[in-house]
Amino acid sequence: MKKNKCVFLDRDGVLIKDVGYLKDPADIIVLPDVASSLKRLKNAGFVLIIITNQAGIAKGFFTEEDLKNVNNILLNIFKSDGLIIDDLYYCPHHKDGTVEHYTIACDCRKPNTGMVLKGVGKFNIDLKKSFMVGDKDSDMLLAKNSGIRSFYIKNEMYEHDNSVIPDFTVFNLKEAAEIILSINSAL
Ligand SMILES: [Mg+2]
Ligand SMILES: [Zn+2]
């Protein structure tokens, strides 16, 4: 069976504005050119999977229900624009949480590979033909740990440690999508 190629997408700071522990759907701000860029990737045959660390749940800043609500509204914003995201995985855990149920050292919190492997199993993904787009070192490290090429979206919000070298550095998702599409068409 032919394997699929995938773009794994961080949520906050890549698709929507990173407002820090987003709880209120009114604070969802989709970044410029995101929907159109994702549509181009989808049309080129990429599976689109959002993978997001949401330790705010373990830390008691919001509940899993709050998160699901925000995610559903985001997916519906895309849907009403004609864009279907194939899947979305989140990690609610943190080893130093305050909510007991979620306070564990898990294998899904990025840079651990749990969420990527979940997608690989479900969509029969070829990681060598896949990409990760994120705005934190944990996203880049996840890509490295998974054997995926990485795009780092440059930002002032998070410190970028030079020990984690992304394959590409860009300013936004649109730029990442253009490079992915050009690599893809050369294959
Ligand atoms: Mg992020
Ligand atoms: Zn987890």
Side-chain angles (χ1 to χ4, degrees):
M1 196 166 86
K2 192 176 169 291
K3 285 192 165 186
N4 291 304
K5 54 200 177 186
C6 177
V7 182
F8 293 95
L9 301 149
D10 175 40
R11 192 193 77 177
D12 302 338
V14 173
L15 306 181
I16 60 175
K17 189 172 159 55
D18 189 341
V19 297
Y21 299 120
L22 172 56
K23 173 183 177 174
D24 183 351
D27 293 332
I28 297 174
I29 301 164
V30 178
L31 293 169
D33 303 316
V34 161
S36 58
S37 300
L38 293 180
K39 278 189 218 171
R40 290 177 66 198
L41 291 170
K42 186 118 198 187
N43 288 339
F46 285 94
V47 173
L48 302 177
I49 301 178
I50 300 172
I51 51 176
T52 177
N53 281 354
Q54 295 293 337
I57 295 170
K59 292 176 181 173
F61 297 141
F62 51 86
T63 67
E64 195 161 357
E65 287 313 306
D66 293 330
L67 176 75
K68 284 181 183 170
N69 183 41
V70 165
N71 286 342
N72 284 336
I73 289 170
L74 175 63
L75 294 177
N76 280 328
I77 291 171
F78 287 143
K79 206 181 275 179
S80 66
D81 200 5
L83 169 68
I84 306 289
I85 302 290
D86 294 285
D87 222 338
L88 180 155
Y89 308 133
Y90 60 86
C91 166
H93 309 114
H94 198 277
K95 65 179 173 42
D96 304 317
T98 56
V99 182
E100 194 185 354
H101 179 67
Y102 301 105
T103 300
I104 54 164
C106 63
D107 60 11
C108 48
R109 181 172 167 79
K110 298 180 280 187
N112 297 321
T113 55
M115 294 191 283
V116 165
L117 295 178
K118 194 169 172 180
V120 167
K122 184 165 172 186
F123 294 94
N124 190 32
I125 287 165
D126 183 349
L127 290 175
K128 288 192 290 299
K129 292 181 182 163
S130 299
F131 300 88
M132 169 77 209
V133 187
D135 67 336
K136 278 192 190 177
D137 284 348
S138 53
D139 297 312
M140 302 304 103
L141 213 46
L142 164 75
K144 196 177 167 198
N145 291 342
S146 310
I148 328 177
R149 280 163 289 179
S150 59
F151 283 84
Y152 171 66
I153 296 189
K154 227 174 152 51
N155 65 90
E156 306 285 302
M157 199 153 171
Y158 299 104
E159 230 171 280
H160 177 48
D161 180 341
N162 285 325
S163 68
V164 187
I165 311 285
D167 291 295
F168 301 91
T169 299
V170 293
F171 285 100
N172 50 51
L173 180 66
K174 185 184 183 190
E175 214 183 312
E178 271 160 12
I179 296 171
I180 291 170
L181 291 166
S182 70
I183 293 172
N184 185 56
S185 64
L187 287 177

